[in-house]
Amino acid sequence: MPNRIPVVEKILSANDRLAAENRARFDAAGVFAINIMASPGAGKTSLIEKTVAALKDRLRIGMINGDIATSFDADRAAAAGAAAVQINTGGDCHLDAVMLQSALPQLDLSALDLVIVENVGNLVCPAEFALGTHKSILVASIPEGDDKPYKYPGMYRGVDAVVINKIDLLPYVPFRLDFFKKGIEALNPGVTQFELSCRTGEGLEPWLNWLLAQA
Ligand code: MG
Ligand code: ZN
């Protein structure tokens, strides 16, 4: 398929242009924006819930949730105290800059300090599509297995931080933390990492402090 690569490149460069526009809107409003990516079930929404609940008195937080079909996750973020907007991707397996752009008018950016974008649960293509957020965070979790950095290198390579969630399950699941971290280190040397459990609350403090320092 000789035409395939140029077409993909064109789509990605159009996406990058829109991502730059999104970034400019965040910057003009003084908003810090993050893109949270993970496989389904890793705990993106749980992390957002805990983060909003812990920081809502210090930061005005908005949340944009990309979901294929439901609004459960946006509802959870709203219940935790965020201004939440739902993007129904209509079956698409990732968010892109144009979807984010179409959602932004639903948030009053001038009244927010932090915008958290929850990407579609998927470990393959979300990393390919810049959204215009300032930082990308990958949430991994113990039950997914310790081979994920080796199997999905594209997702680990470009992110600014990796959150390893569900560490309370380490005693019950075969998971070599050293092997996992070695895989991350090879792809993204020195990347910021957090080990935590949204369920028990263990390890959340360093993540919250990092986010506060960024925002
Ligand atoms: Mg979710
Ligand atoms: Zn996709």
Side-chain angles (χ1 to χ4, degrees):
M1 290 193 289
N3 285 327
R4 188 175 148 78
I5 286 168
V7 167
V8 168
E9 278 172 0
K10 244 187 217 166
I11 291 168
L12 288 176
S13 76
N15 185 75
D16 283 348
R17 227 172 28 245
L18 291 170
E21 290 178 19
N22 291 343
R23 173 73 67 92
R25 285 168 79 166
F26 288 133
D27 288 343
V31 166
F32 179 70
I34 61 174
N35 173 22
I36 297 197
M37 301 180 286
S39 63
K44 292 182 297 302
T45 311
S46 297
L47 183 67
I48 292 167
E49 254 177 345
K50 297 287 177 189
T51 302
V52 170
L55 300 183
K56 69 177 177 205
D57 295 332
R58 278 177 281 182
L59 298 175
R60 298 166 299 171
I61 305 174
M63 188 266 201
I64 298 174
N65 170 253
D67 210 298
I68 290 174
T70 72
S71 67
F72 298 156
D73 294 355
D75 296 344
R76 285 171 62 187
V85 172
Q86 168 72 25
I87 301 176
N88 207 311
T89 67
D92 248 347
C93 52
H94 58 265
L95 288 179
D96 62 21
V98 72
M99 289 185 222
L100 187 68
Q101 194 158 78
S102 67
L104 284 182
Q106 296 178 58
L107 282 177
D108 178 8
L109 292 182
S110 68
L112 297 174
D113 304 304
L114 170 68
V115 167
I116 303 174
V117 180
E118 178 178 353
N119 218 306
V120 179
N122 177 348
L123 268 191
V124 183
C125 46
E128 301 279 321
F129 293 86
L131 301 179
T133 48
H134 298 92
K135 300 279 178 192
S136 296
I137 291 109
L138 178 63
V139 182
S141 71
I142 301 303
E144 290 169 56
D146 55 21
D147 58 354
K148 291 302 167 289
Y150 303 90
K151 284 188 157 175
Y152 301 97
M155 290 291 288
Y156 283 84
R157 210 172 264 131
V159 295
D160 301 294
V162 177
V163 171
I164 307 170
N165 187 24
K166 308 189 190 182
I167 51 160
D168 53 308
L169 298 181
L170 269 174
Y172 313 107
V173 178
F175 188 100
R176 295 159 295 177
L177 199 52
D178 287 356
F179 178 70
F180 183 77
K181 286 172 146 286
K182 202 174 135 196
I184 296 175
E185 194 56 32
L187 295 164
N188 197 337
V191 68
T192 304
Q193 296 181 38
F194 303 96
E195 296 168 28
L196 54 81
S197 165
C198 289
R199 194 179 72 84
T200 67
E202 180 185 0
L204 271 169
E205 211 53 40
W207 152 255
L208 296 171
N209 290 337
W210 180 81
L211 195 55
L212 275 173
Q214 305 290 320

